[in-house]
Amino acid sequence: MSKKFDVVVIGAGPAGYVTAIRAAQLGMSVACIDDWKNHDGSLSYGGTCLNAGCIPSKALLESSELVHRAKYEFAAHGIDTGPVKVDLAKMQQRKAGIVKQLTGGISALFKANKITALQGRGRLLKDRKVEFTPHAGKVEILRGKNVILASGSVPVELRQVPFDGKTVVDSWGALEFDSVPKRLAVIGGGVIGLELGSVWQRLGAEVVVLEALDDFLFMIDRQIARDTLRQFKRQGLDIRLGAKVSGATRGKSGIRLEYSNSKGEQEIEVDKVIVCVGRRPHSVDLFEQGCGVTTDSRGFVEVDEECRTGVADVWAIGDLVRGPMLAHKGSEEGVMVADLIAGEISEVNYNTIPSVIYTAPEIAWVGQNEEEVKKSGRAYKVGTFSFAANSRAKAMEMATGMVKIIAARDDDEILGVHIAGPMAGELIAEAVLAMEFSASAEDLQRTIHGHPTLSEALHEAALAVDNRAIHAVNN
Ligand code: FAD
Ligand code: NAD
């Protein structure tokens, strides 16, 4: 006999586990199936984000940033540390400890919310039945009044440079190096490439980033992209744009990568390669053929604005479906779906999802960039403010980067906010809230900000939209 639940969730990443908790809060009986297995064979909840993505990468970014600051920035504060030594094993242990605490926290939340947590593979069959294959033991059939697919994504592999788990690794492998590679190539100059490239460069590796496109960070505002590219290069990241990798040859002293750019055929020799050229939805063998769920040409499960698959009471969320591959996007979709199942009104505002790149400078944005606004044909005005004129950033010895606000000329509505600079990922929250409430630039202008704070740069950029910044010369 099959076990019955109001909701069966497949996947316990930030999309799936949040859905399970929200559904349980709303009084539903919930089962959540997850097949995550760590490199050491242990099992844990939290998916890519907690085990191999957001959390371990941010732990290493934080540690390596401190190394960089101690080496190159403390002196400006009058602090002499002597030679800075890195204990990589301890740094990795700290990271692993944080991951363990947080993934353990999810198990505890499942228990507290009386969620039936199952470790193994889930597969959707017809009529909302779910086949559960445990890591050990017998296959079971569960029946859900609702089924939510949240199986996430996996790294894209490059045919020319296949992963071998040692020399050529994906982002997960790159979070677990036990020594700092002397020469490191990063293929793909996107979010992961810059974050992990920064980690290992700060810890002493010579890092070359090979990016296929001629544009740096094509998805961000061009002004911010130009500004940050200059800063990354100054830090020593060797970013090569328009570099198309054609092959890899293993030699005795490393791995040789062949690539072409506008100047012709090139090659470099390195000790390790991180391939991070994007991720693809994890939809293979997730559902029985003929159950009605469909995927697009890239494997994303097709859904509408409310994450309905088109099969009654079967939903799909997170990296598995269209939209940015971000943890908070998946979590919000999960909350929406649980609310909708419970009959509540709920939606995700896809226009106000913030993005953050945790490099130095940190880059964060929400809404449209200038190129997108221009393309839309709507008349607009721009205000910028440099952190060089922000007193808190000066006190922190981090006075680089800028805030840029784009507002509509007709009704002053804020259309996009772009930040590169200290704590950009924290500062963007104010912009998200403003846009969520359809605020105007004037609303931000009239909002009182504490002094001295980094948030004053946002205030000044809003003032600059109407040429009334106080601590800058207006146009
Ligand atoms: P996942 O987190 O991938 O979880 C899916 C879960 O489902 C996994 O546990 C998987 O094992 C399980 N599963 C898959 N198929 C099945 C099946 N058939 N049966 C049972 N279980 C199954 N995003 C941010 O917002 N901020 C960041 O700072 C950030 N940093 C990142 C850093 C790195 C290095 C990487 C790789 C990603 C990062 N991301 C970040 C992206 C973020 O990790 C993803 O957007 C997020 O994890 C997606 O959540 P999800 O729940 O959809 O999928
Ligand atoms: P990405 O899409 O950010 O970047 C991939 C880059 O690789 C692009 O610039 C692309 O032009 C380039 N590329 C593609 N094919 C190439 C090739 N053959 N040779 C050289 N370059 C090539 O993808 P990612 O960095 O792999 O990250 C995957 C996803 O994970 C992203 O969608 C991102 O949203 C998410 N993520 C988010 C964060 C964060 O929020 N801070 C951090 C890490 C990852």
Side-chain angles (χ1 to χ4, degrees):
M1 227 187 46
S2 54
K3 289 187 191 148
K4 291 188 183 147
F5 296 89
D6 293 326
V7 173
V8 176
V9 186
I10 301 181
Y17 85 74
V18 169
T19 319
I21 292 172
R22 181 68 190 136
Q25 282 175 351
L26 290 161
M28 296 179 234
S29 60
V30 182
C32 186
I33 306 172
D34 188 85
D35 71 352
W36 187 273
K37 205 178 235 183
N38 294 303
H39 286 150
D40 64 3
S42 63
L43 308 177
S44 51
Y45 297 111
T48 307
C49 173
L50 272 77
N51 293 289
C54 322
I55 303 307
S57 64
K58 265 78 260 180
L60 289 184
L61 276 156
E62 199 64 39
S63 299
S64 61
E65 171 69 0
L66 288 178
V67 171
H68 175 86
R69 298 204 77 200
K71 275 189 185 169
Y72 303 109
E73 293 174 9
F74 280 13
H77 291 266
I79 303 169
D80 180 0
T81 58
V84 175
K85 279 201 243 147
V86 172
D87 182 341
L88 184 60
K90 199 162 179 186
M91 200 178 275
Q92 291 285 27
Q93 264 168 27
R94 187 190 88 99
K95 178 204 76 182
I98 294 167
V99 168
K100 198 161 183 207
Q101 270 179 7
L102 293 177
T103 53
I106 294 179
S107 302
L109 286 170
F110 277 168
K111 220 175 189 173
N113 284 285
K114 302 193 170 43
I115 292 163
T116 303
L118 301 167
Q119 288 175 308
R121 268 193 81 69
R123 184 162 170 267
L124 175 69
L125 309 175
K126 287 174 195 142
D127 304 324
R128 293 189 314 276
K129 279 189 270 183
V130 174
E131 177 188 76
F132 167 55
T133 310
H135 290 296
K138 276 208 320 242
V139 175
E140 279 183 62
I141 301 294
L142 315 181
R143 201 179 269 274
K145 279 191 199 151
N146 289 270
V147 177
I148 296 158
L149 306 175
S151 54
S153 62
V154 289
V156 167
E157 184 158 19
L158 267 189
R159 189 178 30 84
Q160 312 88 306
V161 195
F163 298 126
D164 64 12
K166 275 185 94 170
T167 319
V168 180
V169 297
D170 62 11
S171 53
W172 192 6
L175 287 164
E176 301 199 337
F177 289 156
D178 54 12
S179 62
V180 179
K182 189 169 170 331
R183 302 163 302 172
L184 172 68
V186 176
I187 305 182
V191 189
I192 295 182
L194 290 172
E195 288 188 352
L196 295 188
S198 295
V199 165
W200 295 109
Q201 191 263 335
R202 291 167 187 168
L203 295 178
E206 291 161 24
V207 178
V208 178
V209 179
L210 300 174
E211 164 58 45
L213 296 180
D214 292 323
D215 279 338
F216 177 62
L217 288 180
F218 67 91
M219 65 290 202
I220 75 169
D221 189 272
R222 289 300 83 203
Q223 193 178 0
I224 301 276
R226 275 191 302 276
D227 197 46
T228 48
L229 178 60
R230 255 195 312 272
Q231 294 193 55
F232 289 129
K233 285 191 167 174
R234 212 175 298 140
Q235 284 164 22
L237 273 182
D238 181 353
I239 300 172
R240 303 185 189 178
L241 299 174
K244 304 197 171 51
V245 178
S246 49
T249 334
R250 265 152 246 270
K252 268 196 190 130
S253 65
I255 179 159
R256 207 168 51 242
L257 291 177
E258 292 113 42
Y259 69 95
S260 60
N261 61 13
S262 57
K263 294 192 187 114
E265 299 300 317
Q266 315 283 341
E267 59 177 51
I268 48 167
E269 194 166 284
V270 293
D271 305 302
K272 296 250 189 224
V273 182
I274 309 174
V275 178
C276 41
V277 293
R279 295 176 62 84
R280 61 179 171 78
H282 195 170
S283 55
V284 176
D285 205 29
L286 177 63
F287 50 85
E288 182 183 22
Q289 287 310 313
C291 76
V293 173
T294 54
T295 52
D296 68 12
S297 58
R298 294 189 299 159
F300 289 99
V301 168
E302 291 183 304
V303 287
D304 66 9
E305 283 262 297
E306 292 183 329
C307 293
R308 296 174 198 271
T309 61
V311 180
D313 305 315
V314 176
W315 316 69
I317 56 174
D319 281 10
L320 182 65
V321 303
R322 84 284 174 269
M325 286 184 164
L326 295 172
H328 43 285
K329 175 262 192 187
S331 299
E332 287 311 314
E333 287 179 334
V335 169
M336 170 181 73
V337 167
D339 286 351
L340 290 174
I341 291 171
E344 295 194 0
I345 294 171
S346 198
E347 64 173 4
V348 170
N349 183 353
Y350 288 95
N351 297 321
T352 56
I353 298 175
S355 295
V356 184
I357 307 179
Y358 296 82
T359 45
E362 204 157 283
I363 304 169
W365 69 98
V366 58
Q368 292 174 294
N369 60 41
E370 191 170 348
E371 293 69 35
E372 288 165 341
V373 178
K374 207 178 273 173
K375 225 168 158 185
S376 75
R378 193 161 177 193
Y380 65 93
K381 34 189 192 166
V382 172
T384 59
F385 191 79
S386 166
F387 281 105
N390 175 271
S391 46
R392 184 72 191 276
K394 281 266 183 224
M396 294 164 77
E397 199 62 31
M398 294 177 109
T400 51
M402 66 190 289
V403 178
K404 174 172 179 175
I405 298 183
I406 306 165
R409 204 160 264 293
D410 48 14
D411 63 0
D412 201 34
E413 182 190 0
I414 297 171
L415 303 174
V417 177
H418 308 269
I419 308 175
M423 309 300 278
E426 302 298 327
L427 293 176
I428 203 69
E430 180 181 348
V432 175
L433 189 68
M435 287 183 65
E436 189 60 38
F437 285 92
S438 306
S440 61
E442 187 184 348
D443 289 325
L444 271 193
Q445 291 166 4
R446 291 186 183 280
T447 302
I448 302 170
H449 292 73
H451 175 74
T453 59
L454 296 171
S455 68
E456 286 175 296
L458 203 74
H459 188 219
E460 289 275 12
L463 290 166
V465 165
D466 292 318
N467 294 325
R468 41 175 299 212
I470 301 293
H471 297 93
V473 179
N474 295 289
N475 296 325

